[in-house]
Amino acid sequence: MQKLGMKKGAVWISSFFYSLYHGGVLLPLFEFPYSLLVCLPIFAVGIVWGWMASNHGSLWGSILSHAMADAGIIVLYLKYVL
């Protein structure tokens, strides 16, 4: 889609599929309405990461911030779940 000059559409569509995948992973962890609500911030951060990759021409910013988000989730899991 980026070759056709539709960067914005490509970011939105990829964010949709990103949140759809993560929603499928989170479905067994949360009750029904909450699993859908969790997908909203995932969609939003997908837009941010897609915008970063699109505007800066590199995936490194998205990769590093995703790794930091994953590290934060692991810390919260270890602190509150275990």
Side-chain angles (χ1 to χ4, degrees):
M1 288 183 77
Q2 287 186 354
K3 290 181 181 180
L4 299 174
M6 295 189 270
K7 285 185 178 183
K8 194 176 204 179
V11 168
W12 280 80
I13 290 172
S14 63
S15 297
F16 170 75
F17 285 111
Y18 178 76
S19 64
L20 190 66
Y21 166 76
H22 281 78
V25 171
L26 294 173
L27 210 58
L29 298 176
F30 297 101
E31 298 285 328
F32 168 65
Y34 301 112
S35 60
L36 291 179
L37 290 176
V38 171
C39 287
L40 295 175
I42 293 171
F43 179 76
V45 79
I47 290 175
V48 170
W49 287 332
W51 173 83
M52 287 171 58
S54 175
N55 283 352
H56 299 292
S58 174
L59 289 175
W60 283 111
S62 300
I63 291 169
L64 292 175
S65 61
H66 191 288
M68 290 189 301
D70 286 346
I73 290 168
I74 290 169
V75 167
L76 289 174
Y77 177 79
L78 293 174
K79 184 174 182 176
Y80 294 109
V81 176
L82 292 182

